[in-house]
Amino acid sequence: MSWITDILGTSAPAVRVPEDFEPPKNATQMVPLTEIVRGSQSWSDMFGPAMAGGLPALTEYSAATVTAIYACWSLIAGAIQTLPINMMNVDIPTGERERIFDDPLLWVLNEEMSERWPAPIGWEYLVKSIMAEGDAFAIIRRDRMFKPIALEPVHPLRVMNGIVPQTGRMVYRIAPEYLANGQVIGSARDFDQDDIIHIPGFGFDGLRGMTPLRYSLRNAGGVAIAAQEYAARFFTNGARPDYALSTDQNLGEPRIKELQGLIDERHRSTENAHRPMLLHSGLKLTSLQISANDMQLLGQRQFQIEEIARAYGVPPFMIGHNEKTTSWGSGVEAMSIGFVRYTLRPYLNKIERELDRKLFRTRSRVTVFDTSDLEQADTKNLYESLRVGVGRAGEPRILTPNEARAKLRMPRKTDADSDKLGVNAGAAPAAKDQGSTEPKDAAA
């Protein structure tokens, strides 16, 4: 590095990784595809331990074929990507916060993370990565003064991280990006922990978070995939149960193969599902499969929806499972507040704290997700609460009129009274005459 780069810095500070450094065992290693076979260590590292009973292994892509898992991802990630991110200056002695409107980072956090990533799409991708892979990663791109100027989301499987023993700091190795068309973008790069946004999921062990696909949903998700695959095969076969053909005659092997081929040709697939089967030579048909009703296939699939929703902390009614009521309240406002408080808030808090410590490195500036739109009451209750905040005539004000108008996204008023607290100086309503109730003409 030249003396210019030593003084001015580069787009990313160089990271010197010791030659004897070995990544942790749980890090993603480069393994030939021929070695990734069922039962191997590479298979277990990629898909988790072997599934009991031969259930399908959950991956990011196989899990997305389960509608309940897809709905949970879409609901949580979709809700977070709609939330604006505000930046605040914090007065350390008093703790008071003042919103910032002119920082260039607001464009990165709310509009465009980088050239390829609009901010809403980037946040949606990062939150989905937490739910699918257990971690979310983004590279912090900096200018020559080391100020952050962009965020570049990275798929978790491209990231290998570990601890440098001499310093105790975490380092990240980002593999090149391989596109579906065969194009390779970039090369392997090393980053210090200060230049990577790392948002782990539940169960962070100092290196990586736990993904529900390998833990809480390992069996429940596998059963869900197995159930929907069984249902697909059942209906593809015309909802025809398995059966056996028997006869008192002694049939040779050629005759048996001929009968099997004839049955497959004439009665397999949905096109031939309702063709009558003609039996001769003493053949008898016996059904071997219990009915779907006896297996309670529908009930099992509904139970899997509840299991999946429970793993992601989502009330089942929010992903279309409406058989049971929610304990979060009966109104839309109460349910929305419960969703923000118990489902979204853990994600939002992790994101806010990671942005604060990697972008600012100071207590005097913080980021805050604005959840007011999700928690907002209906129009009538909203107007009534703002009326109480502004204060009726003769009552003290909690909000100024301009603060109330800002919550309704209305333009500010320029008169002096609109920015004052104190007592509402509006004219009190005229008192009604509590004397005679008779008309004046009658009294006269």
Side-chain angles (χ1 to χ4, degrees), residues 398-415:
I398 302 175
L399 298 174
T400 67
N402 275 335
E403 289 174 337
R405 293 175 67 86
K407 291 183 177 295
L408 299 175
R409 295 183 175 88
M410 298 174 66
R412 295 172 55 86
K413 297 181 69 176
T414 57
D415 59 283

Side-chain angles (χ1 to χ4, degrees), residues 305-380:
I305 294 176
E306 298 178 9
E307 288 273 273
I308 293 168
R310 185 181 299 117
Y312 285 110
V314 173
F317 77 91
M318 298 193 78
I319 58 172
H321 188 68
N322 299 319
E323 286 196 352
K324 297 182 178 180
T325 59
T326 174
S327 57
W328 285 3
S330 57
V332 175
E333 179 185 7
M335 292 186 290
S336 298
I337 292 174
F339 176 63
V340 172
R341 182 177 299 168
Y342 301 113
T343 302
L344 298 187
R345 179 49 59 187
Y347 294 95
L348 302 181
N349 186 65
K350 291 179 181 180
I351 296 172
E352 291 169 353
R353 301 292 77 77
E354 182 70 1
L355 292 177
D356 294 347
R357 78 188 194 102
K358 296 294 178 66
L359 300 182
F360 308 137
R361 303 295 297 173
T362 175
R363 293 172 53 202
S364 62
R365 180 166 291 193
V366 296
T367 55
V368 178
F369 279 92
D370 184 357
T371 61
S372 58
D373 280 351
L374 294 182
E375 299 174 295
Q376 184 171 288
D378 59 84
T379 304
K380 179 182 178 182

Side-chain angles (χ1 to χ4, degrees), residues 26 97 108 118-119 122 133 149 166 171 187 293 343 355 377 391 412:
N26 70 337
R97 298 186 176 189
V108 176
E133 299 292 346
I149 58 174
Q166 291 83 345
V171 293
S187 59
N293 184 47
T343 302
L355 292 177
R412 295 172 55 86

